[in-house]
Amino acid sequence: MTTGLVLSGGGARAFMHLGVIQALEESGIKIDHICGTSAGAITGAFYAHGYSPKECLEILSKSELLRSVRIAFGGKGLLRISRMEKLLKNYLPDNQFSALKIGLTVTATDIVAGETVAFDSGEVIQPILASCGLPGLFEPYHYDDRELVDGGVLNNMPVEMLAGKTDFVIGSHCNPFLLDRPLKNSLEVAYRALLLAVHHQNLDRLKSCDLLIEPPAMSRFSIFDFGKAGQIFNAGYEYAVAALREAPDLPERR
């Protein structure tokens, strides 16, 4: 039985995915294919390349990565994400899907055609960058004759991309739709509205996972809490350990 892992977008919350992967490794569950979008695409690519979950955590939480975008005044967005390309090549030097140790699919949104686009061959860094470009904040990323933005705009949990590729699908979702604190300002209201839209899109996709790992504790973290990477990792790990212990049907340990 082959196992697929779907990694949602979620900004800094995506450090949770690395904790989940750590728990899967310790349980002896081998991942055969990963599908990720937005921040889930980054974490998935680093793990597929061969870095351990804790190595990914160390690399991706470095401030150099967060400072690698630069202001793009007068363009279509406030920030230009393409500057990350050179930096990511230091960690993904082959820059090819075929060079990865685990199969990977990355999704992005074609902002002109209004459709989700999946990439699983050719260059890998460019689709990752496209997948992470929040519209309005980042300029659309021009690649493969498309204007691409964040994959989560249309599909933040691209489970269907694993259809026919794996037998068992594990979903790692870092955006639980909970509210355990009051909305303090207009930014939180706007983000809550975005979560509501994303949650509505994902209901059927979440249900289609053979095993869904969605720690409620993620609601306590912001998508901008990069300084809490270790805490987010640990929350994902601890919840996944418990979920795997209680799950009735799991892929055979390998």
Side-chain angles (χ1 to χ4, degrees), residues 110-129:
D110 186 322
I111 196 66
V112 177
E115 61 186 12
T116 296
V117 185
F119 300 92
D120 59 9
S121 62
E123 296 175 320
V124 66
I125 290 176
Q126 289 77 2
I128 290 172
L129 295 177

Side-chain angles (χ1 to χ4, degrees), residues 9 16 19 36 44-45 54 58 60 63 77 114 121-122 130 134 155 165 177 188 203 213 217 228 230 237 239 241 249:
M16 182 206 89
K54 291 185 178 179
E58 180 180 358
L60 294 173
S63 59
S121 62
L134 281 171
N155 187 347
K165 292 183 178 180
F177 192 70
E188 289 193 359
L203 283 175
I213 300 176
K228 299 180 180 179
Y237 171 76
Y239 187 87
V241 167
D249 299 307

Side-chain angles (χ1 to χ4, degrees), residues 66-252:
L66 304 181
R67 291 199 299 262
S68 60
V69 294
R70 62 188 175 92
I71 300 297
F73 291 114
K76 301 173 184 176
L78 296 177
L79 302 173
R80 185 170 294 143
I81 202 170
S82 58
R83 194 177 180 188
M84 287 182 67
E85 184 174 338
K86 182 177 180 180
L87 185 59
L88 286 175
K89 282 183 178 178
N90 292 331
Y91 299 104
L92 304 172
D94 296 312
N95 192 23
Q96 293 289 319
F97 280 94
S98 59
L100 301 175
K101 296 180 180 179
I102 299 174
L104 177 70
T105 298
V106 170
T107 65
T109 301
D110 186 322
I111 196 66
V112 177
E115 61 186 12
T116 296
V117 185
F119 300 92
D120 59 9
S121 62
E123 296 175 320
V124 66
I125 290 176
Q126 289 77 2
I128 290 172
L129 295 177
S131 183
C132 295
L134 281 171
L137 183 60
F138 294 104
E139 288 184 324
Y141 193 88
H142 185 78
Y143 179 69
D144 198 27
D145 292 326
R146 293 177 179 268
E147 294 293 322
L148 300 170
V149 298
D150 195 293
V153 170
L154 290 181
N155 187 347
N156 201 41
M157 196 67 182
V159 178
E160 62 268 37
M161 299 301 172
L162 289 180
K165 292 183 178 180
T166 59
D167 305 308
F168 190 94
V169 175
I170 299 172
S172 181
H173 186 242
C174 59
N175 301 296
F177 192 70
L178 301 172
L179 184 62
D180 55 5
R181 60 184 180 183
L183 299 174
K184 298 178 181 179
N185 52 51
S186 59
L187 180 60
E188 289 193 359
V189 172
Y191 180 54
R192 177 72 172 178
L194 176 61
L195 276 183
L196 179 60
V198 170
H199 177 72
H200 182 72
Q201 290 177 5
N202 286 340
L203 283 175
D204 290 338
R205 295 184 177 106
L206 295 174
K207 293 176 182 177
S208 70
C209 295
D210 297 296
L211 173 64
L212 176 64
I213 300 176
E214 185 185 51
M218 286 303 103
S219 65
R220 299 198 298 268
F221 298 100
S222 161
I223 61 172
F224 304 110
D225 275 341
F226 293 98
K228 299 180 180 179
Q231 296 177 47
I232 297 172
F233 177 99
N234 289 335
Y237 171 76
E238 292 169 3
Y239 187 87
V241 167
L244 291 170
R245 187 184 302 123
E246 298 173 4
D249 299 307
L250 288 172
E252 181 181 353

Side-chain angles (χ1 to χ4, degrees), residues 24-82:
L24 293 173
E25 280 193 350
E26 292 178 4
S27 296
I29 297 175
K30 179 180 179 294
I31 302 302
D32 298 287
H33 200 101
I34 297 170
C35 183
T37 196
S38 194
I42 294 180
T43 54
F46 272 66
Y47 183 66
H49 176 77
Y51 295 108
S52 72
K54 291 185 178 179
E55 287 174 333
C56 293
L57 175 65
E58 180 180 358
I59 294 169
L60 294 173
S61 61
K62 287 182 178 179
S63 59
E64 289 84 353
L65 284 169
L66 304 181
R67 291 199 299 262
S68 60
V69 294
R70 62 188 175 92
I71 300 297
F73 291 114
K76 301 173 184 176
L78 296 177
L79 302 173
R80 185 170 294 143
I81 202 170
S82 58

